[in-house]
Amino acid sequence: MKKVVIMGGGIIGTMHAYLALKEGYSVIQCEREQIARSASIRNFGLIWVSGREVGAELEMALRAREIWGEVGAAVPATGFRANGSITIARNEAEWQVLQEAAAMPDADLRGFSLLVKEEVTALEPVLAGDFIGGLRCTQDAAAEPNRLLVSLREYLKADENYRWMPNFDVMDFYHSETGNHIIDVKGQTISGDLMVMCPGSSHQGFLSSFFADAPVRRVRLQMGATVPLPAKLGHSVADGDSLRYYPAFKDLSLAALPPQSEIAARRKMQLLMVQRLDGTLTIGDTHEYDEPFDHEILEEPYEHLSGVISAIFGRTAPVVSRRWDGVYSQSTSSETYFRKAIAPGAIVVTGGGGRGNTLSPAIAEETMIQWR
Ligand SMILES: Cc1cc2nc3c(=O)[nH]c(=O)nc-3n(C[C@H](O)[C@H](O)[C@H](O)COP(=O)(O)OP(=O)(O)OC[C@H]3O[C@@H](n4cnc5c(N)ncnc54)[C@H](O)[C@@H]3O)c2cc1C
């Protein structure tokens, strides 16, 4: 039985572990923290097919969505649910873009349908504010980021061929004729036939040579969560600002959109919102591209998001009770993510950007196919 070593306990590493066990490998997965606590638990938990670029990226997202369905069925504690999404148009120009999106040749693949306001409200009574209509996407789904990794880990641990090694902070790698090896800060070594490093946005330390001149950058986001909404909101929700960020819509009539609000433009914001199983709403986000990143959590994005939510709800948004930030690694080339061979049988995989959670099972599957 071939041994696979995975560095990184985030969703990319964990999906590699999940699929590698299914492929019949024995798996050791290590993580520098007690539990992984970076991008994969700080995100919305969205599996977001609707915004993916026409062509290869959409195909990958659809395949990922299929595997997510299998993962969700195998591990219900992930909170995976095919809840769908609604992108809301609050002005005529946004509505025009949504109409064009609903008429795209691949609209059926994405599960798109156009809903006038009354239809949106009939589906989601909470969405009763001042808007024209929405674009529903039945392929979009969500999982619970705060339960996802823990529940997948428990599932994996039940397999005798899986070993989890937390607090293993890798500081070096080498390849020899016996395989691939990583060494942690305490001098412990893990060896395997195959190795995949999934470090997320940690591009530094011993990894820095693998990232020299690599087409990846880091992006910082601000997020928040409200107190529980005393009503159910099944679908995830996006506002019209999201149309500017998702490549699916790049050839539509975006030039006719009115300027974003000053704060949304300055902080590169959109509204994404998903109700957690405890009733709270996860909301965001901002985008910061220039390093060094600001170390502060700023208040003005939350004031903006609360205003947009209140307009879409037609009543005051629930109060924001928690705030955090997160950093992801994003490919800046035409490749959907960053994959680099560093030695025979050893690769670095990251750079999934704001779609890393969505694509994670398909990214891991591409590794499995290469290893066959
Ligand atoms: C705020 C925010 C919101 C987002 N929302 C979404 C969303 O809704 N949908 C979506 O598809 N994507 C979303 N994303 C993107 C997505 O979360 C990421 O692309 C994805 O989680 C990346 O997973 P990862 O496993 O590569 O990285 P990470 O989650 O960062 O995990 C990497 C792990 O590797 C470990 N590690 C690093 N170096 C070492 C070392 N030397 N030794 C041992 N361990 C090491 C780290 O401790 C970490 O736990 C969002 C990201 C952010 C930040």
Side-chain angles (χ1 to χ4, degrees):
M1 182 181 269
K2 278 199 172 170
K3 190 156 118 188
V4 167
V5 177
I6 299 168
M7 186 196 87
I11 194 63
I12 301 283
T14 302
M15 283 295 182
H16 274 84
Y18 180 88
L19 290 184
L21 284 172
K22 279 202 180 314
E23 290 277 310
Y25 296 106
S26 83
V27 174
I28 298 188
Q29 185 179 10
C30 70
E31 161 59 47
R32 63 153 63 113
E33 306 271 357
Q34 177 67 29
I35 52 160
R37 48 194 298 282
S38 35
S40 302
I41 67 158
R42 290 163 188 258
N43 62 26
F44 294 94
L46 294 173
I47 292 117
W48 199 255
V49 174
S50 47
R52 303 282 68 90
E53 186 160 6
V54 173
E57 187 180 301
L58 177 61
E59 273 172 37
M60 194 172 182
L62 288 168
R63 174 61 188 142
R65 172 66 179 73
E66 209 175 322
I67 309 174
W68 265 112
E70 293 162 20
V71 171
V75 194
T78 55
F80 173 86
R81 52 205 183 273
N83 62 332
S85 74
I86 302 176
T87 299
I88 299 289
R90 292 173 62 205
N91 57 54
E92 289 295 342
E94 289 174 353
W95 182 237
Q96 172 63 28
V97 175
L98 295 194
Q99 287 174 283
E100 291 171 10
M104 293 196 309
D106 56 19
D108 281 352
L109 279 177
R110 297 173 194 265
F112 277 173
S113 57
L114 201 61
L115 307 176
V116 296
K117 187 199 156 178
E118 292 68 30
E119 292 170 314
V120 172
T121 309
L123 210 53
E124 293 288 1
V126 174
L127 306 177
D130 183 17
F131 58 86
I132 300 172
L135 181 71
R136 186 181 187 202
C137 173
T138 50
Q139 284 284 8
D140 285 343
E144 294 291 287
N146 53 352
R147 293 165 43 169
L148 181 60
L149 296 176
V150 174
S151 57
L152 285 174
R153 193 86 53 235
E154 287 312 306
Y155 174 84
L156 296 173
K157 278 180 176 171
D159 191 318
E160 60 180 9
N161 293 316
Y162 177 77
R163 189 159 160 224
W164 168 240
M165 294 188 66
N167 303 312
F168 194 97
D169 189 357
V170 180
M171 54 163 282
D172 209 356
F173 160 81
Y174 69 94
H175 173 81
S176 75
E177 59 189 17
T178 61
N180 291 293
H181 319 273
I182 45 177
I183 305 168
D184 82 341
V185 288
K186 296 175 201 145
Q188 306 173 93
T189 301
I190 309 178
S191 303
D193 304 295
L194 298 164
M195 176 146 326
V196 51
M197 300 194 191
C198 307
S201 61
S202 296
H203 299 171
Q204 311 94 328
F206 83 101
L207 292 161
S208 53
S209 61
F210 307 133
F211 284 104
D213 301 323
V216 280
R217 65 175 173 184
R218 298 167 6 119
V219 182
R220 175 180 182 255
L221 288 75
Q222 267 191 226
M223 302 280 289
T226 69
V227 297
L229 177 75
K232 184 165 161 40
L233 176 61
H235 290 74
S236 305
V237 174
D239 73 349
D241 280 342
S242 69
L243 299 170
R244 303 163 200 263
Y245 292 107
Y246 287 116
F249 311 118
K250 70 179 168 39
D251 296 327
L252 308 184
S253 300
L254 300 184
L257 293 176
Q260 281 185 289
S261 72
E262 190 278 327
I263 160 76
R266 187 157 41 82
R267 301 278 171 212
K268 300 177 181 62
M269 296 185 68
Q270 61 185 337
L271 168 71
L272 291 178
M273 172 166 63
V274 54
Q275 188 172 40
R276 300 267 76 96
L277 296 178
D278 66 2
T280 62
L281 300 174
T282 302
I283 61 169
D285 52 15
T286 62
H287 294 91
E288 193 179 341
Y289 299 105
D290 296 327
E291 295 201 50
F293 296 134
D294 199 342
H295 64 285
E296 295 176 322
I297 301 284
L298 302 170
E299 196 51 32
E300 61 176 13
Y302 302 98
E303 288 161 8
H304 168 77
L305 292 172
S306 294
V308 178
I309 297 167
S310 300
I312 292 175
F313 281 6
R315 62 172 170 172
T316 307
V319 171
V320 178
S321 61
R322 287 172 288 140
R323 295 155 176 78
W324 67 93
D325 64 355
V327 177
Y328 60 65
S329 167
Q330 182 183 42
S331 161
T332 53
S333 74
S334 55
E335 300 297 325
T336 310
Y337 64 99
F338 178 76
R339 169 185 291 273
K340 180 172 179 160
I342 55 169
I347 49 172
V348 175
V349 178
T350 186
R355 51 208 177 344
N357 187 63
T358 302
L359 298 180
S360 54
I363 291 173
E365 188 176 61
E366 290 194 351
T367 305
M368 300 306 130
I369 291 167
Q370 286 193 358
W371 284 346
R372 275 176 205 156

